Amino acid sequence: QVQLVESGGGLVQAGGSLRLSCAASGTILSIPVMSWYRQTPGKQRELVASITSIGSTSYADSVKGRFTISRDNAKSTVYLQMYSLKPDDTAVYYCNADLVAAYRSGVHNYWGQGAQVTVSS
């Protein structure tokens, strides 16, 4: 079975920084895309940033210039470095991966359990 496990959430003051990590475990053959989403109560989950296996990245307009997504392919891990955090960044952040697992054919989508990020004003 494949699992995505996030770490690094917490409480930070506005203007501060946090780094989220997400490690994929299990017998994984490849991970074409890894992403971070976030969700606040009553709102739809929104895409924050994505990165491909060759390092191509994309960001939501709301986080461009403040957040950086990166990955370590050898560790099957994706990171989200967040700078200049604002109260509006408060959300549960979810790791997401399109990956090929050894136990099932094709590319399938997986979610982590979520990590709370709270930015105080």
Side-chain angles (χ1 to χ4, degrees):
Q1 292 286 348
V2 170
Q3 279 191 316
L4 302 180
V5 179
E6 297 113 338
S7 60
L11 173 65
V12 65
Q13 287 189 330
S17 302
L18 274 178
R19 188 196 197 204
L20 301 178
S21 301
C22 171
S25 63
T27 307
I28 298 168
L29 302 181
S30 68
I31 312 178
V33 183
M34 301 187 84
S35 303
W36 288 97
Y37 286 74
R38 66 186 181 186
Q39 188 171 26
T40 54
K43 292 189 177 180
Q44 284 192 328
R45 197 169 293 189
E46 65 169 347
L47 177 63
V48 175
S50 291
I51 185 167
T52 69
S53 57
I54 60 171
S56 296
T57 60
S58 62
Y59 297 91
D61 287 342
S62 59
V63 306
K64 279 181 183 176
R66 299 189 299 120
F67 290 10
T68 301
I69 189 170
S70 61
R71 61 189 282 175
D72 184 333
N73 290 331
K75 296 181 179 179
S76 297
T77 298
V78 63
Y79 306 96
L80 186 68
Q81 179 67 55
M82 303 181 287
Y83 299 101
S84 302
L85 282 160
K86 306 174 182 179
D88 283 350
D89 295 318
T90 296
V92 177
Y93 284 71
Y94 294 92
C95 176
N96 179 272
D98 291 326
L99 61 84
V100 181
Y103 68 92
R104 60 191 307 197
S105 62
V107 179
H108 296 273
N109 192 257
Y110 295 83
W111 290 94
Q113 82 283 1
Q116 177 69 47
V117 171
T118 302
V119 184
S120 63
S121 57

PDB file of all heavy atoms in Angstrom, residues 5-18:
ATOM      1  N   VAL A   5       2.624  10.909   3.967  1.00  0.00           N
ATOM      2  CA  VAL A   5       2.620  11.391   5.344  1.00  0.00           C
ATOM      3  C   VAL A   5       3.225  12.782   5.387  1.00  0.00           C
ATOM      4  O   VAL A   5       4.404  12.971   5.054  1.00  0.00           O
ATOM      5  CB  VAL A   5       3.392  10.442   6.267  1.00  0.00           C
ATOM      6  CG1 VAL A   5       3.392  10.984   7.691  1.00  0.00           C
ATOM      7  CG2 VAL A   5       2.777   9.042   6.226  1.00  0.00           C
ATOM      8  N   GLU A   6       2.396  13.755   5.815  1.00  0.00           N
ATOM      9  CA  GLU A   6       2.849  15.139   5.912  1.00  0.00           C
ATOM     10  C   GLU A   6       3.418  15.430   7.295  1.00  0.00           C
ATOM     11  O   GLU A   6       3.028  14.803   8.282  1.00  0.00           O
ATOM     12  CB  GLU A   6       1.702  16.117   5.653  1.00  0.00           C
ATOM     13  CG  GLU A   6       1.100  16.047   4.276  1.00  0.00           C
ATOM     14  CD  GLU A   6      -0.316  15.550   4.283  1.00  0.00           C
ATOM     15  OE1 GLU A   6      -0.694  14.882   5.249  1.00  0.00           O
ATOM     16  OE2 GLU A   6      -1.043  15.848   3.324  1.00  0.00           O
ATOM     17  N   SER A   7       4.286  16.415   7.361  1.00  0.00           N
ATOM     18  CA  SER A   7       4.808  16.916   8.627  1.00  0.00           C
ATOM     19  C   SER A   7       5.201  18.371   8.450  1.00  0.00           C
ATOM     20  O   SER A   7       5.380  18.836   7.318  1.00  0.00           O
ATOM     21  CB  SER A   7       6.015  16.093   9.090  1.00  0.00           C
ATOM     22  OG  SER A   7       7.048  16.155   8.137  1.00  0.00           O
ATOM     23  N   GLY A   8       5.310  19.082   9.585  1.00  0.00           N
ATOM     24  CA  GLY A   8       5.817  20.441   9.532  1.00  0.00           C
ATOM     25  C   GLY A   8       4.782  21.529   9.713  1.00  0.00           C
ATOM     26  O   GLY A   8       5.125  22.715   9.703  1.00  0.00           O
ATOM     27  N   GLY A   9       3.520  21.191   9.873  1.00  0.00           N
ATOM     28  CA  GLY A   9       2.524  22.227  10.110  1.00  0.00           C
ATOM     29  C   GLY A   9       2.673  22.835  11.488  1.00  0.00           C
ATOM     30  O   GLY A   9       3.491  22.396  12.294  1.00  0.00           O
ATOM     31  N   GLY A  10       1.862  23.859  11.753  1.00  0.00           N
ATOM     32  CA  GLY A  10       1.921  24.476  13.068  1.00  0.00           C
ATOM     33  C   GLY A  10       1.379  25.877  13.070  1.00  0.00           C
ATOM     34  O   GLY A  10       0.694  26.300  12.126  1.00  0.00           O
ATOM     35  N   LEU A  11       1.695  26.589  14.140  1.00  0.00           N
ATOM     36  CA  LEU A  11       1.240  27.960  14.341  1.00  0.00           C
ATOM     37  C   LEU A  11       2.408  28.912  14.138  1.00  0.00           C
ATOM     38  O   LEU A  11       3.495  28.689  14.688  1.00  0.00           O
ATOM     39  CB  LEU A  11       0.678  28.108  15.752  1.00  0.00           C
ATOM     40  CG  LEU A  11       0.298  29.520  16.212  1.00  0.00           C
ATOM     41  CD1 LEU A  11      -0.848  30.054  15.375  1.00  0.00           C
ATOM     42  CD2 LEU A  11      -0.068  29.504  17.693  1.00  0.00           C
ATOM     43  N   VAL A  12       2.181  29.965  13.366  1.00  0.00           N
ATOM     44  CA  VAL A  12       3.231  30.937  13.095  1.00  0.00           C
ATOM     45  C   VAL A  12       2.607  32.320  13.019  1.00  0.00           C
ATOM     46  O   VAL A  12       1.436  32.458  12.659  1.00  0.00           O
ATOM     47  CB  VAL A  12       3.981  30.586  11.784  1.00  0.00           C
ATOM     48  CG1 VAL A  12       3.057  30.691  10.581  1.00  0.00           C
ATOM     49  CG2 VAL A  12       5.220  31.431  11.602  1.00  0.00           C
ATOM     50  N   GLN A  13       3.377  33.331  13.351  1.00  0.00           N
ATOM     51  CA  GLN A  13       2.884  34.705  13.244  1.00  0.00           C
ATOM     52  C   GLN A  13       2.945  35.180  11.793  1.00  0.00           C
ATOM     53  O   GLN A  13       3.763  34.695  10.992  1.00  0.00           O
ATOM     54  CB  GLN A  13       3.711  35.633  14.120  1.00  0.00           C
ATOM     55  CG  GLN A  13       3.431  35.477  15.604  1.00  0.00           C
ATOM     56  CD  GLN A  13       4.109  36.560  16.428  1.00  0.00           C
ATOM     57  OE1 GLN A  13       5.170  37.063  16.056  1.00  0.00           O
ATOM     58  NE2 GLN A  13       3.491  36.926  17.536  1.00  0.00           N
ATOM     59  N   ALA A  14       2.107  36.128  11.464  1.00  0.00           N
ATOM     60  CA  ALA A  14       2.126  36.712  10.124  1.00  0.00           C
ATOM     61  C   ALA A  14       3.530  37.239   9.816  1.00  0.00           C
ATOM     62  O   ALA A  14       4.189  37.841  10.668  1.00  0.00           O
ATOM     63  CB  ALA A  14       1.105  37.837  10.029  1.00  0.00           C
ATOM     64  N   GLY A  15       3.962  36.964   8.597  1.00  0.00           N
ATOM     65  CA  GLY A  15       5.308  37.339   8.184  1.00  0.00           C
ATOM     66  C   GLY A  15       6.345  36.258   8.405  1.00  0.00           C
ATOM     67  O   GLY A  15       7.466  36.353   7.916  1.00  0.00           O
ATOM     68  N   GLY A  16       5.956  35.226   9.123  1.00  0.00           N
ATOM     69  CA  GLY A  16       6.871  34.135   9.429  1.00  0.00           C
ATOM     70  C   GLY A  16       6.947  33.095   8.327  1.00  0.00           C
ATOM     71  O   GLY A  16       6.356  33.257   7.252  1.00  0.00           O
ATOM     72  N   SER A  17       7.683  32.018   8.620  1.00  0.00           N
ATOM     73  CA  SER A  17       7.924  30.961   7.635  1.00  0.00           C
ATOM     74  C   SER A  17       7.624  29.594   8.230  1.00  0.00           C
ATOM     75  O   SER A  17       7.723  29.401   9.445  1.00  0.00           O
ATOM     76  CB  SER A  17       9.387  30.991   7.175  1.00  0.00           C
ATOM     77  OG  SER A  17       9.727  32.231   6.620  1.00  0.00           O
ATOM     78  N   LEU A  18       7.267  28.668   7.371  1.00  0.00           N
ATOM     79  CA  LEU A  18       7.078  27.270   7.736  1.00  0.00           C
ATOM     80  C   LEU A  18       7.496  26.411   6.554  1.00  0.00           C
ATOM     81  O   LEU A  18       7.400  26.848   5.404  1.00  0.00           O
ATOM     82  CB  LEU A  18       5.623  26.955   8.076  1.00  0.00           C
ATOM     83  CG  LEU A  18       5.095  27.191   9.487  1.00  0.00           C
ATOM     84  CD1 LEU A  18       3.615  26.849   9.540  1.00  0.00           C
ATOM     85  CD2 LEU A  18       5.874  26.394  10.513  1.00  0.00           C
TER      86      LEU A  18
END
